Amino acid sequence: MPKSEFLREAEARGFIFQCTDMEALDAAMQAGPVGGYIGFDPTADSLHVGSLIQIMMLRLMHRHGHRPVALVGGGTAKIGDPSFREEARQLMTAETIATNLRGVEACLRQFLPLGTGPAEPLLTNNADWLDKLSYIDLLRDVGIHFSINRMLSFDSVRSRLEREQGLTFLEFNYSILQSYDFRELNLRHGVTLQMGGSDQWGNIVSGIDLVRRMNGAQVFGLTTPLLTTSSGAKMGKTAQGAVWLSAKRLPVFDYWQFWRNVEDADVGRFLKLFTELPIEECDRLAALEGAGINEAKKVLATEATALCHGRAAAEEAAEAARRTFEEGAVTAAALPTTTVPAALLAEGVPAFRLFVEAGFAASNGEARRLIRGGGARVNDVVVKDEAQVMTDADLIDGAIKLSSGRKRHILVQPA
RNA sequence: GGAGGGAUGCCCGAGUGGCUAAAGGGGGCGGACUGUAAAUCCGCUGGUGUACGCCUACGUUGGUUCGAAUCCAACUCCCUCCA
């Protein structure tokens, strides 16, 4: 049982999967503030729920007086992490990386009060040092510490080698650069802990080795469990795709809904991981029986959304959900909205077309099937005829509410 | 370098000349039941069109045939074994 507050709470909340040296890390954390970092690769212009456990970990550190460091992989993104991947990642262009970096940083800012003071969360970019490396120097200074034999033995790499897809030299170097990051952060900011998902274990351990050899410092690694839902699905994937943290990618209402629709069995676990309510409160809510658990889900949704998008937006989403689901209101201001050319409605547009415009169907045929199946509603009235024509006359408060199934709603406005 | 095997729809996977828009499963979407849950049951699941249809699709290209996912040739990629 760890003694430091951070590790105790992290363990109690379910953040810890593996640690390289729990006792020593515990001792270090009791002795004083520890700098710990997590890397985020800019593979898209927003992070998604899959990275949330890492972000929450950084917040948890901060709350306990340690210094969280968020590293964005502006440099490593040029290579792509091959760990546990079946195929090589598509290489990204410099412009894509730059765009993604801005998006990822914005996501991190949503959660972390960044600053430069010794106790404030720090944001760094490994392009700052990786871009400057010279190949020969790197080989001599860093390469000499890596054993190919050992690198080949990592699970994350082995599967790639043993199975079909090969592993290019480019990708093989990812691990070395990530290790080098640890060393740089240790030198520059005194970081002594690297955290990450359990799939990062191999990379983290390599980094610890490198820091010991190059800097002569003892540093630590801590991984979080791979999160799945109770029914085994990978956390954070929904029908629509990833659950994005950026409101540009996923409306706040939908983000709230994601948490609201979590399986019963996951509520307690998620409350502890993705909200900052006291553990006892999480346990109390998770213990609610039957339909009562829905109250816990609402708390989860609002709390988790508040951390991501702010309290006000979260409350608004909760209210929109209440009006939509509990009162059956036709329009609720905070529902996601989209626009269609005003001319469409002025001239009259078939309902199926509108469902396509709203993104509820990928093709006219799919929209027709939705209507045939009885799952399409306009202003809460089931659409019976696929050819039904919508016009300006269908606007209510300047918008038409489209619903696909019980749960997906959107307001369509002419523009 | 040599010898075999393989490439099918979002994924897995059946299919060896017409009955194949292509079995079955998964996933997804919708419906029922419920609690905006899970489990279960039902329907749908290439595009276009109201519809007979038309278009696109079984690694790529070309060929045989009235007709090809299925036969032939070349090419590309992958796997296994030998050296």
Side-chain angles (χ1 to χ4, degrees):
Chain A
M1 192 65 181
K3 295 192 180 67
S4 67
E5 286 177 36
F6 167 73
L7 285 178
R8 241 193 346 230
E9 182 166 353
E11 189 163 70
R13 298 190 89 107
F15 279 96
I16 298 177
F17 180 67
Q18 275 181 296
C19 181
T20 51
D21 187 341
M22 192 59 115
E23 277 106 79
L25 176 60
D26 194 32
M29 293 195 122
Q30 285 179 83
V34 164
Y37 95 93
I38 299 178
F40 299 90
D41 268 358
T43 49
D45 65 3
S46 167
L47 293 173
H48 55 78
V49 166
S51 299
L52 194 51
I53 187 168
Q54 321 302 347
I55 296 174
M56 294 303 292
M57 187 81 130
L58 291 177
R59 283 183 62 99
L60 189 62
M61 280 191 83
H62 191 223
R63 276 196 283 136
H64 287 290
H66 300 288
R67 186 180 205 196
V69 176
L71 175 81
V72 289
T76 33
K78 290 169 187 164
I79 294 180
D81 185 0
S83 299
F84 297 103
R85 292 189 54 98
E86 306 253 314
E87 294 170 30
R89 288 173 190 265
Q90 182 109 45
L91 284 182
M92 291 186 286
T93 64
E95 301 86 83
T96 310
I97 292 174
T99 311
N100 290 353
L101 271 178
R102 279 193 296 275
V104 166
E105 286 176 9
C107 284
L108 291 168
R109 270 178 233 283
Q110 287 169 226
F111 288 88
L112 300 169
L114 300 175
T116 48
E120 288 171 295
L122 182 71
L123 179 70
T124 57
N125 183 343
N126 63 15
D128 291 351
W129 52 86
L130 293 183
D131 282 2
K132 293 189 203 125
L133 289 176
S134 115
Y135 191 58
I136 298 291
D137 290 342
L138 179 77
L139 288 179
R140 289 178 61 100
D141 298 340
V142 179
I144 193 158
H145 298 299
F146 281 82
S147 148
I148 295 276
N149 313 47
R150 222 165 68 79
M151 288 175 76
L152 291 178
S153 74
F154 285 134
D155 279 353
S156 53
V157 172
R158 208 168 45 196
S159 56
R160 272 286 283 280
L161 293 178
E162 284 176 358
R163 256 182 284 154
E164 41 218 272
Q165 306 284 348
L167 183 69
T168 64
F169 185 65
L170 173 82
E171 296 172 276
F172 191 61
N173 278 272
Y174 183 91
S175 176
I176 293 175
L177 294 183
Q178 183 170 335
S179 300
Y180 187 74
D181 284 344
F182 201 171
R183 169 203 134 93
E184 282 294 311
L185 288 172
N186 178 255
L187 275 186
R188 291 172 181 232
H189 304 292
V191 168
T192 54
L193 170 66
Q194 180 179 179
M195 298 169 288
S198 55
D199 59 332
Q200 291 299 309
W201 183 256
N203 289 338
I204 291 175
V205 168
S206 294
I208 289 174
D209 249 32
L210 185 67
V211 177
R212 195 186 62 240
R213 291 174 193 229
M214 290 185 79
N215 298 8
Q218 189 195 8
V219 293
F220 308 96
L222 187 63
T223 57
T224 55
L226 178 67
L227 278 191
T228 54
T229 68
S230 294
S231 34
K234 207 169 179 179
M235 169 86 190
K237 295 277 181 196
T238 68
Q240 297 354 289
V243 179
W244 301 102
L245 302 182
S246 160
K248 283 183 204 146
R249 282 270 198 147
L250 185 74
V252 177
F253 178 82
D254 291 333
Y255 189 77
W256 192 93
Q257 282 297 318
F258 167 74
W259 295 104
R260 172 64 183 82
N261 284 308
V262 145
E263 293 173 31
D264 287 8
D266 291 327
V267 174
R269 209 156 47 101
F270 288 1
L271 277 166
K272 285 178 195 164
L273 289 170
F274 301 116
T275 77
E276 289 174 349
L277 296 173
I279 293 178
E280 309 78 64
E281 177 68 358
C282 295
D283 285 333
R284 187 188 70 78
L285 286 166
L288 291 173
E289 300 276 331
I293 194 84
N294 282 330
E295 293 311 312
K297 290 186 192 179
K298 288 179 200 167
V299 173
L300 170 65
T302 303
E303 291 300 314
T305 305
L307 286 175
C308 185
H309 298 296
R311 179 69 54 182
E315 302 280 3
E316 200 183 344
E319 175 60 14
R322 195 185 63 77
R323 294 189 50 190
T324 305
F325 289 99
E326 293 175 25
E327 289 179 7
V330 174
T331 57
L335 285 181
T337 59
T338 187
T339 56
V340 294
L344 276 181
L345 284 173
E347 291 161 13
V349 59
F352 70 83
R353 201 58 220 128
L354 217 47
F355 278 88
V356 175
E357 292 284 335
F360 280 172
S363 65
N364 291 346
E366 196 177 311
R368 290 195 142 99
R369 271 178 247 130
L370 177 69
I371 293 173
R372 262 178 240 153
R377 276 164 297 142
V378 170
N379 293 330
D380 288 322
V381 178
V382 175
V383 182
K384 296 221 172 61
D385 177 9
E386 3 180 320
Q388 182 178 325
V389 174
M390 313 299 307
T391 65
D392 287 332
D394 295 298
L395 292 168
I396 296 177
D397 297 336
I400 294 176
K401 179 186 180 188
L402 297 186
S403 307
S404 167
R406 295 276 153 222
K407 293 192 200 169
R408 301 169 65 201
H409 306 282
I410 197 164
L411 295 179
V412 177
Q413 296 169 332

